[in-house]
Amino acid sequence: MDNTLIDVKDLKVHFFTDEGVVRAVDGVDLKLERGRTLSLVGESGCGKSVACRALMQIVRNPGKVVAGEILYNRGAEGGQAEIIDIAKMDPKGKEIRDIRGKEISMIFQEPMTSLSPMYTVGNQIIENILLHTNLTKEQARDLAIKLLDQVGIPRADRLVDEYPFRLSGGMRQRSMIAMALSCNPNLLIADEPTTALDVTTQANILDLMSDLQKSYNMTLLFITHDLGVVAEIADEVAVMYLGKIVEKSDVYTIFNSPRHPYTQALLKSIPKIAIKREDLDPIKGMVPNPFRRPGGCPFHPRCPQAFAECKVLVPTTTQLTPNHSVQCLLYENFANRIATEQKQ
Amino acid sequence: MVQTTPMNKSLAPTPEEHVTESLDLEVASQWKLMWWKFRKHKMAIIGTVIVIIYYTMGMFAEFFAPTHFTTYNEQYVYAPPQTIHLFRDGKLDPYVNGYTFVRDPISFKKTWAVDETVVVPISFLVRSEEYKLWGFIPGSLHLVAADNPRDPFYLLGSDKSGRDVFGRIIYSARVSLTVGLVGVALSLILGIMIGGVSGLIGGWLDNVIQRLIEIIMSIPTLPLWLALAAVVPLDWQPLQVYFMITVILSLVGWTGMARVVRSKFLALREEDFILAATLDGVPRGRMIMRHMVPSFLSHIIASITLSIPGMILGETALSFLGLGLRPPVVSWGVMLQETQKVAVLAISPWLLYPAVAVIIVVLALNFMGDGLRDAADPYQ
Amino acid sequence: MTAQAPLTPTKTVEMRDENTILEVNNLKMHFPITKGISTRVRGWVKAADDVSFFLRQGETLGLVGESGCGKTTVGRCIVRAYKPTAGEILYRNEDGSVVDLAALKPDEVRPYRKDIRMVFQDPYSSLNPRMTVLELISEVLKVNKLESSDTIQTRVGALLEKVGMRPEYMQRYPHAFSGGERQRIVVARALITNPRIIVCDEAVSALDVSIRAQILNLLESLQKEFNLTYLFISHDLSVIRHICNRIVVMYVGKVVEVSDALEIYTGPRHPYTEALLSSVPLADPNGREGRQRIHLEGEIADPSNPPSGCYFHPRCQYAKERCKTDAPELRDLGGNHFVACHFAEDLKLAAVIK
Ligand SMILES: Nc1ncnc2c1ncn2[C@@H]1O[C@H](COP(=O)(O)OP(=O)(O)OP(=O)(O)O)[C@@H](O)[C@H]1O
Ligand SMILES: Nc1ncnc2c1ncn2[C@@H]1O[C@H](COP(=O)(O)OP(=O)(O)OP(=O)(O)O)[C@@H](O)[C@H]1O
Ligand code: SF4
Ligand SMILES: [Mg+2]
Ligand SMILES: [Mg+2]
């Protein structure tokens, strides 16, 4: 039985701004397996947030999903497959609204922006429960308290009536998680949920999330730029650069034998606690301006292993092993592509 | 491009990116960036053009108005607006038609009718009635005027003394628009000084100033204006009254400005770049003028633009109620005073044109201010 | 002052040894809490409370701790952005004479400002967007008349090159640069006065991973070239590990541990350091299942209303009765390892590096 929950195929999200078109997500393929954690990692501006917002059809204006499929299997695990394409849905339609917050929910980096300061934490969780289930108000409130308790909020029965601004950052993020879990989602998208937190709080939240994931058996899409966090939480890792997924494999392969020059360089440029290195090996240059993306392989201006073809040929996905793919000409047999592209 | 000598290949940013960058954007100052942002707002641009036209006309009223605002012709009282005909006998030769009396067959009242047979020749850029620009530069050139100054030429009709409404609206612009400008300038000076003291020195002084502002702000504006305007002595010279009115308007207007300035100073004190300048040993005066004021000046300009309409409306309202400027000074409010009698308004509705002038400029200033406000912070 | 100074036995203006360039003794910075319109003080935020450490010439000292523990406050006291409430900041001039910066009046500090400079966290908010790079970097020279105006350009240009930027960019405004380039400008601004000490407050925290490494390398090579001393404030223990020789760990306004960098990671002696280190995610998935993490219960203490005794006791898994009443002093355990815990000698704490 196929265990795929969401299959993203060639997703493209473009922003149509006054200054030009930003190809924020530029042909992304992703497979989210049930009950697994996929970590999307990349530097600021590479399109992580936009890609996961597209999964819920909440891309901000002037962004649009311009191509691709987001095939979502609604059916119960092991049961009859019931596949729908989220990319085709109207962002304001009823169909997607039923999915949002119920089957797919999301937590953000800054919980204050997604929790309303006007209502108590409990109210907001209860609201979401009532919207998507047939529970009565009392039942919803009990469930909310149970959820808050489960995410490790002390004295949940009292905190349920607190306003978000009275809580610390860690507590807010916990209540966000409780809210996201309130309808028992199939997929939880976490967009840098620990970036604004202290390491000690981050450690607690990460542990909490992996515990919850096991007990709910949900799929987790975890977005971060911190490779340390990736190593802690991910089963699968997708490395993103300029709107493309340049390498994808399980977490051990990515850290132990990365193949894409960008992944290799990224891992070399981070300071590590265990080993003291004399000099870090930074990636030269910087992420290009979104309006001036280089042609050919988007990484070629910064790539230490670039060769002539990298400037002109856009790499396609090469499958190294069944679960390890990479977009780099080093691993691609591009001889016949040159021939065909020259003919055109 | 000149090649640098990088200390180490990994330290220097790669040159490729920079070559492609457009130099334009990079050396653009704050004002250039603001202009680029501002020009994206169509309405703001339109508003700005209108405002510029208004102020230019007000400034050179002698040139734009066909006759002086005191010029009257007792033969043509409450004459209706005329239309300009550009061609006569197929040739470019602009003229307007003269007037004749008709008796209304029912009410037997004397009313005006256009007399197609009478032709009043007019010309553009013509030497006609003599004037002294700003009271001292003699001249006689007009944008458009009747060839003979004694001929009736009333584009927007005439008033109870046979004076040209169009010309008077233009002369009024000079008064009404500058009342707004001077009033705003006064409240700006007061606002920046008091707000600056409040925000920079703080402590009990700040407390006292804030309470004072709250008290002034809690008094409704119109009654306060009325009360203040009522004590202006009747025998004052028009010029004195004019300044008194601007002072009254700005006495109320400075409070908002002071608050903005104070909060900007307070917010700036927390900024890292101000701390950096402090650590550089930048003296206080330079800190205020070089670092603090420039970073909110654009916001202030935007809010000035948005507060001029209030001043213009304030002057108009006071004069309309007879508490502001008084004839022989002419302002839109003074002109509108005549429309208070319904009977007059019924037979000569063109006397309301000053109100149209007010509405257009108020809207234009608002659009312009909105655009400026959006452009005020070009770094977002 | 009631507390006795642990690092200086007497209260003369004397420093530990010739090698010490800066010594902070019992530094306190308390901010008043006022409410609403009244100016009455309702209490004090003890952002820094009895902080003591020293800086050796040419080293990099790391200052770590959770958000709100007072790292920035200490850094700003040293550059005298704040006038400390109490305590000493002894600075050794190049000629060997010692001055207490904490005691100086604002205008007396001026000559020392060029010796002790600061690099800020946010490269966006720390550069005035309305000034060109040249104006930004050279302002300190101009207002202090440190360089004649005709040679300023050459000096700024040469320095820009040192930090890896093109001198031609001098006339540009900061908005034309990326975060990493801006941070280079900020570093250049700190360096222009030929300082001896630079306080880096989260200097790389706002930067992307690849840019972070560039700036860290830059800071290291500049340190070698100009014999700089860094006080490196950060909450990122991996960065601290990479760049620092010694480390000061803070918790709620107090120093809890000071030691050589490697020793902190191989043998922490304070329970808070142990917990902090065990929370750091290691960029290595191998063997992650077997890893033990210490969960700190409860919230970090409020600096305006700290707990009794040891501030850490409500969250400490080793706390005993005594911790609730007695505040532990910062004690020298030998080998320049200072710890503020009653049981530092007896506890067996886990290390991140074996
Ligand atoms: N509202 C928008 N208008 C225009 N461009 C946008 C908008 N939102 C995002 N983008 C562009 O899309 C690209 C990807 O943005 P995204 O927010 O997904 O990055 P990210 O990987 O999440 O980065 P970060 O780590 O900073 O959150 C960026 O280059 C950005 O310029
Ligand atoms: N100017 C100030 N007035 C009042 N309280 C302040 C002031 N500056 C800092 N504080 C308080 O002092 C405490 C320590 O703040 P500080 O900024 O030094 O912490 P930090 O360790 O730098 O934290 P972070 O890692 O978040 O930067 C905090 O509780 C803060 O709220
Ligand atoms: S003194 Fe006590 S409470 Fe404080 S750290 Fe040591 S054991 Fe824990
Ligand atoms: Mg993002
Ligand atoms: Mg700080």
Side-chain angles (χ1 to χ4, degrees), chain B residues 183-245:
Chain B
V184 161
L186 278 180
S187 51
L188 182 70
I189 293 168
L190 281 174
I192 287 189
M193 287 200 323
I194 300 176
V197 165
S198 204
L200 283 171
I201 298 175
W204 64 269
L205 198 60
D206 178 36
N207 243 324
V208 170
I209 292 172
Q210 288 315 300
R211 297 300 84 72
L212 180 72
I213 290 179
E214 272 157 28
I215 291 168
I216 296 180
M217 279 189 146
S218 65
I219 306 171
T221 327
L222 202 60
L224 182 65
W225 280 345
L226 293 180
L228 286 172
V231 294
V232 177
L234 279 172
D235 53 353
W236 274 21
Q237 295 295 309
L239 201 67
Q240 280 177 302
V241 178
Y242 173 88
F243 275 110
M244 208 46 221
I245 294 294

Side-chain angles (χ1 to χ4, degrees), chain B residues 130-334:
Chain B
E130 307 240 318
Y131 55 76
K132 284 217 170 79
L133 183 61
W134 304 322
F136 59 90
I137 304 173
S140 60
L141 192 70
H142 293 263
L143 177 67
V144 53
D147 293 351
N148 175 2
R150 293 302 301 164
D151 277 347
F153 176 48
Y154 302 121
L155 271 180
L156 298 178
S158 72
D159 68 359
K160 64 169 189 274
S161 324
R163 292 173 300 197
D164 176 25
V165 171
F166 175 66
R168 281 170 66 81
I169 286 180
I170 291 177
Y171 276 98
S172 298
R174 173 176 288 175
V175 175
S176 297
L177 292 176
T178 49
V179 165
L181 219 52
V182 176
V184 161
L186 278 180
S187 51
L188 182 70
I189 293 168
L190 281 174
I192 287 189
M193 287 200 323
I194 300 176
V197 165
S198 204
L200 283 171
I201 298 175
W204 64 269
L205 198 60
D206 178 36
N207 243 324
V208 170
I209 292 172
Q210 288 315 300
R211 297 300 84 72
L212 180 72
I213 290 179
E214 272 157 28
I215 291 168
I216 296 180
M217 279 189 146
S218 65
I219 306 171
T221 327
L222 202 60
L224 182 65
W225 280 345
L226 293 180
L228 286 172
V231 294
V232 177
L234 279 172
D235 53 353
W236 274 21
Q237 295 295 309
L239 201 67
Q240 280 177 302
V241 178
Y242 173 88
F243 275 110
M244 208 46 221
I245 294 294
T246 56
V247 168
I248 289 171
L249 291 173
S250 49
L251 272 183
V252 181
W254 68 268
T255 51
M257 199 67 75
R259 286 214 148 167
V260 174
V261 172
R262 170 179 177 267
S263 68
K264 290 283 177 202
F265 273 123
L266 286 182
L268 277 171
R269 278 208 307 215
E270 305 299 317
E271 287 283 341
D272 275 353
F273 74 84
I274 296 295
L275 176 61
T278 314
L279 296 182
D280 279 354
V282 174
R284 203 179 175 81
R286 183 178 162 92
M287 179 74 87
I288 295 171
M289 294 319 294
R290 193 74 185 81
H291 291 267
M292 297 180 123
V293 172
S295 53
F296 61 73
L297 192 65
S298 48
H299 294 265
I300 298 286
I301 291 173
S303 62
I304 289 176
T305 321
L306 288 170
S307 61
I308 294 179
M311 296 272 173
I312 293 176
L313 288 172
E315 183 277 326
T316 308
L318 283 181
S319 304
F320 176 75
L321 295 174
L323 290 163
L325 299 170
R326 288 182 285 261
V329 174
V330 59
S331 79
W332 291 326
V334 171

Side-chain angles (χ1 to χ4, degrees), chain C residues 76-84 101-106 109 113:
Chain C
R76 290 189 175 182
C77 284
I78 290 173
V79 297
R80 272 303 302 271
Y82 298 149
K83 171 112 175 68
L101 297 176
L104 296 182
K105 294 197 184 65
V109 184
R113 290 218 189 275

Side-chain angles (χ1 to χ4, degrees), chain C residues 138-156:
Chain C
S138 65
E139 183 163 44
V140 64
L141 300 180
K142 234 178 250 163
V143 298
N144 294 303
K145 307 205 172 51
L146 295 176
E147 177 93 38
S148 74
S149 50
D150 29 310
T151 48
I152 277 185
Q153 283 224 11
T154 358
R155 182 159 166 188
V156 171

Side-chain angles (χ1 to χ4, degrees), chain A residues 15 17 22 24 43-50 61-62 192 290 293:
Chain A
F15 284 87
T17 68
V22 179
E43 288 178 273
S44 182
C46 69
K48 308 181 293 290
S49 299
V50 172
N61 260 337
E192 314 231 14
R293 301 223 156 148

Side-chain angles (χ1 to χ4, degrees), chain C residues 256 269-273 309-320 322-324 326-328 339-344 347:
Chain C
V256 294
R269 306 297 286 272
H270 194 282
Y272 176 67
T273 315
C310 171
Y311 286 0
F312 188 54
H313 86 256
R315 306 171 81 188
C316 178
Q317 53 175 338
Y318 310 103
K320 302 209 170 66
R322 184 178 167 204
C323 304
K324 291 185 189 156
D326 293 4
V339 182
C341 169
H342 295 306
F343 311 109
L347 295 171

